[in-house]
Amino acid sequence: MSALQATTAAAATGVDLAATGTMSITPAVLDSLGLSDWIAWIAIGTFVAAMALQWAGAVDPARYVAAAAWAVFGVYWVMLVPYYYGQLQSPLETLLALAALPLCLYTGYLLVQGRESLLLLSKAVAFMGLIYLPAETIPVVRTWLIETTAAQTHFGMELLGHSPGLTEGAEGYLSKFDFDPEETVTGRTTYIIMACTGIGSMAIFGGLIAAVEAPLERKAIAFVSAIGVIWFLNLSRNVFIGLASPWGWFQQDVFVYIASDLMGAPASRTSYIVAHNFIAQTLSIVALLGITYLVVRVLPEVLEPLEDVLFILTGSEYDLEAALGEGMRTDGGTDPARSESTRSPDSGATVDSDVASDPETDDD
């Protein structure tokens, strides 16, 4: 049996289906929900209600319901600020979470004022939530995603000559890379949490693709392409961080000063912070832009909700089709329907732990 098969099998046996509620999943799910999970479900449920109203032809009520959904959605993100700032020590994610509330409230305001085109973006968010939240809140699905990602990441490490093995990490998942603290540079290791599975990025593109009107074949091609690229890049990211942290790839004085003196982290955590918070997160933004371009080449219909995201961020109207050129339409895609009356110019984690002590309980 290969190492990948062994770790995958170990992950599978680590899930007691009866204990996690497979026979009666609703109580297990309800018991596991925190306040932020409840807020997220309320927001997505409201988005779904707005989508149903629009489908039934009640466009004006749909706008008001979607506006309420955006307000609740903004509250959800603000609730995550302490986690991003205090536990993950991620400046980028903290700033994005802080910016989410005013942006969501502004989106709701635009809907109330009559910007009907934002119902498509609201529909995309509804699908994103329907993809992500079950994975986040259903114990069996969450365990499978985390432990499978850990097993695949371990296999990637083995390809590079490292075989630490897997042991129990946060919340009892078989997700911690069992490096010997006496043999590594920093004495630290990492473990996989939900944010490390790539499901968040997959949900974003899955929601956009599901929301737009287009032939099923092109939507399927766009979805498979996006998911495949995200999976590969996310796995590469996990391997990079998982090796950089124990082996101290970034323990240079300048980085130690930033991590310890400016951010208040232990000096031994420097390589993790540089690899995860600075390098990986910056490259993730570049990767998302590249994947977006790939999806647009196959499914140009997603340009319409993206134009609305840009309007929310800048207050200016954009014609992305014209900006990207005629070549974007060579696949046979049709122009997205636009309603000029509703587009007035006045009217978008691998976790570090110390091997020598109990693993940190960071989670997303």
Side-chain angles (χ1 to χ4, degrees), residues 12-351:
T13 58
V15 183
D16 185 337
L17 299 182
T20 53
T22 302
M23 300 303 293
S24 180
I25 197 167
T26 301
V29 172
L30 294 179
D31 290 342
S32 68
L33 292 180
L35 180 58
S36 62
D37 292 328
W38 280 109
I39 296 298
W41 273 113
I42 291 170
I44 297 305
T46 310
F47 276 120
V48 171
M51 183 172 62
L53 286 170
Q54 183 186 20
W55 180 79
V59 175
D60 286 341
R63 285 192 295 106
Y64 289 103
V65 172
W70 280 103
V72 178
F73 197 48
V75 171
Y76 163 74
W77 285 109
V78 169
M79 292 178 67
L80 297 182
V81 169
Y83 167 69
Y84 289 137
Y85 179 78
Q87 295 187 44
L88 288 190
Q89 295 180 310
S90 171
L92 176 61
E93 289 175 300
T94 301
L95 290 174
L96 291 176
L98 284 172
L101 180 58
L103 289 174
C104 288
L105 291 176
Y106 180 54
T107 304
Y109 169 77
L110 292 175
L111 279 161
V112 171
Q113 291 298 109
R115 192 175 178 93
E116 184 181 319
S117 64
L118 282 169
L119 286 174
L120 179 58
L121 181 60
S122 302
K123 181 181 178 182
V125 175
F127 281 117
M128 292 175 196
L130 292 175
I131 294 171
Y132 180 80
L133 283 181
E136 166 69 22
T137 59
I138 297 176
V140 173
V141 180
R142 183 183 178 91
T143 299
W144 180 83
L145 278 173
I146 291 174
E147 295 191 345
T148 299
T149 300
Q152 294 174 347
T153 302
H154 187 272
F155 179 69
M157 291 179 177
E158 288 188 316
L159 294 178
L160 298 178
H162 299 273
S163 184
L166 285 171
T167 188
E168 184 176 302
E171 298 184 7
Y173 301 118
L174 192 67
S175 62
K176 178 181 173 184
F177 304 109
D178 196 19
F179 285 99
D180 186 341
E182 301 298 326
E183 296 181 357
T184 58
V185 173
T186 65
R188 306 188 74 91
T189 188
T190 56
Y191 58 87
I192 299 295
I193 62 171
M194 193 65 180
C196 311
T197 64
I199 188 65
S201 297
M202 294 178 187
I204 290 173
F205 286 99
L208 282 171
I209 293 168
V212 299
E213 298 291 335
L216 182 59
E217 180 181 359
R218 283 198 290 115
K219 293 177 76 167
I221 293 173
F223 180 78
V224 171
S225 300
I227 298 306
V229 173
I230 292 170
W231 173 82
F232 176 77
L233 293 179
N234 184 69
L235 181 61
S236 301
R237 165 193 173 278
N238 288 340
V239 172
F240 167 64
I241 297 170
L243 293 178
S245 179
W247 295 110
W249 289 356
F250 303 103
Q251 292 299 124
Q252 292 78 22
D253 290 344
V254 62
F255 296 134
V256 172
Y257 172 77
I258 294 173
S260 58
D261 289 25
L262 299 184
M263 300 180 66
S268 61
R269 202 168 187 251
T270 298
S271 288
Y272 169 79
I273 291 176
V274 173
H276 180 276
N277 294 5
F278 299 154
I279 297 176
Q281 289 186 353
T282 301
L283 292 179
S284 293
I285 295 174
V286 177
L288 286 174
L289 292 174
I291 296 168
T292 300
Y293 183 77
L294 172 66
V295 170
V296 166
R297 294 290 300 186
V298 179
L299 195 69
E301 287 82 357
V302 301
L303 290 173
E304 185 175 356
L306 294 180
E307 288 170 351
D308 269 321
V309 170
L310 289 176
F311 180 83
I312 293 168
L313 293 175
T314 67
S316 300
E317 299 286 1
Y318 291 87
D319 187 343
L320 293 179
E321 178 188 344
L324 293 173
E326 293 298 326
M328 300 306 299
R329 297 290 167 171
T330 58
D331 62 354
T334 57
D335 290 335
R338 289 182 172 85
S339 174
E340 295 299 330
S341 63
T342 60
R343 301 179 70 85
S344 168
D346 297 326
S347 27
T350 309
V351 178

